[in-house]
Amino acid sequence: MRFLSAAEIPLPRLYICMAAMFLSAAIIWTCAYSVFKIHWLMAALAYTKALSLVFHSINYHFINTEGHPIEGWAVMYYITHLLKGALLFITLALIGTGFAFVKYILSDKEKKIFMIVIPLQVLANVAYIIIEETEEGASEYTLWREVLFLVDLLCCGAILFPVLKLFRHYYVMIVCYIYFTRIIAILLKMTVPFQWQWCQEFLIEVSTLVFFVLTGFKFRPASNNPYLQLPQDEEDVEMDEVVTESGALEGISKVKKTSNGRERQREPAL
């Protein structure tokens, strides 16, 4: 006996297939392109996404065969889903600010962005879990669905603010990703026949995979990668104070850094 609706029957196979694709992309990225710490964070995001999809597929499989989810698998899915959401927005914000690519210190403004985004992501995931565990006709279902939609949009908007002008093309990529996964996907679900509503999840997962691949391609470690170099007229020279262990003032020196973070010249402080 099958317990899933016609719109949900393809979901277990869809999720496991997409999990295999994300896992393959993560393995290729880890073996070939993990250089900076941000690259390892991007790999962790891809692995977590793949794991989340595996647990999601297993969860739907048991719902389809037994009529209810197995609590252990459901909990594992919610944990990996929460981690994936947090890693996604943290990674996007770090890449947008140029962290580890063109600088190694976050400004106070950028730190405040993270202080806003991370709690919002926790709230969004709590709302998602409540929606998943609540019947669609229940009164709180509509409330938490609206909370999830609003908080998710706030998170998306927050990560757009710190994006460097140098990464304006990446800014467009983020906007397109948000547009496809938040707006187009909802419109698709509203317009297609009921048995084809699984196409909404297909669009979201494929858009996410394409976005991950394009992000990896644009920020892969390469000597001629223009995204890893700041132009001469924008934030070309950055001054840092380096304090040695010999004392608060003793040994202080000014370090001129180029945009890629390498030391260009060292001058003794006055």
Side-chain angles (χ1 to χ4, degrees), residues 3-246:
F3 293 93
L4 290 178
S5 64
E8 297 173 325
I9 288 176
L11 291 181
R13 292 191 297 271
L14 169 64
Y15 289 140
I16 200 67
C17 290
M18 295 304 302
M21 293 183 183
F22 277 101
L23 180 61
S24 300
I27 293 174
I28 294 173
W29 178 260
T30 303
C31 296
Y33 297 115
S34 294
V35 176
F36 298 117
K37 291 181 179 180
I38 190 68
H39 290 140
W40 288 104
L41 186 62
M42 293 163 71
L45 171 60
Y47 282 117
T48 307
K49 174 64 176 178
L51 198 58
S52 174
L53 288 172
V54 169
F55 290 136
H56 206 16
S57 176
I58 295 173
N59 204 32
Y60 264 100
H61 170 74
F62 283 111
I63 293 175
N64 190 36
T65 56
E66 301 186 14
H68 60 85
I70 304 299
E71 184 176 350
W73 291 113
V75 170
M76 291 301 297
Y77 165 64
Y78 291 138
I79 291 174
T80 52
H81 180 78
L82 189 150
L83 289 176
K84 182 264 300 180
L87 280 174
L88 174 62
F89 283 93
I90 290 173
T91 304
L92 293 182
L94 287 176
I95 293 175
T97 59
F99 182 79
F101 293 117
V102 297
K103 62 180 180 180
Y104 294 89
I105 299 176
L106 295 175
S107 67
D108 291 339
K109 178 181 178 182
E110 292 163 350
K111 291 177 181 178
K112 290 178 182 179
I113 295 294
F114 285 97
M115 293 176 62
I116 294 173
V117 169
I118 293 177
L120 285 177
Q121 261 302 295
V122 173
L123 178 58
N125 281 280
V126 169
Y128 176 79
I129 293 172
I130 293 176
I131 290 174
E132 287 288 302
E133 296 295 324
T134 306
E135 294 294 333
E136 191 167 344
S139 57
E140 62 267 24
Y141 179 88
T142 303
L143 172 63
W144 282 107
R145 186 179 62 181
E146 293 174 352
V147 169
L148 173 62
F149 183 76
L150 176 61
V151 172
D152 195 42
L153 286 182
L154 288 175
C155 288
C156 294
I159 63 172
L160 292 176
F161 284 107
V163 177
L164 295 178
K165 293 180 180 179
L166 173 65
F167 300 155
R168 58 179 62 91
H169 294 99
Y170 186 61
Y171 181 95
V172 174
M173 279 178 51
I174 296 178
V175 171
C176 290
Y177 170 69
I178 295 172
Y179 186 72
F180 272 94
T181 57
R182 270 68 176 177
I183 307 299
I184 297 296
I186 295 176
L187 294 177
L188 179 65
K189 184 177 181 179
M190 295 172 58
T191 54
V192 299
F194 176 75
Q195 65 271 21
W196 291 98
Q197 288 188 358
W198 61 270
C199 292
Q200 178 196 22
E201 294 298 318
F202 177 76
L203 175 63
I204 291 174
E205 299 304 335
V206 170
S207 299
T208 303
L209 179 62
V210 171
F211 178 71
F212 279 21
V213 171
L214 289 178
T215 300
F217 177 78
K218 285 185 175 295
F219 294 96
R220 71 194 186 282
S223 58
N224 60 346
N225 191 337
Y227 284 90
L228 306 186
Q229 301 175 5
L230 278 176
Q232 295 298 316
D233 60 347
E234 181 181 347
E235 301 181 10
D236 183 37
V237 178
E238 200 176 281
M239 302 296 294
D240 291 330
E241 290 187 350
V242 180
V243 182
T244 65
E245 296 180 355
S246 58

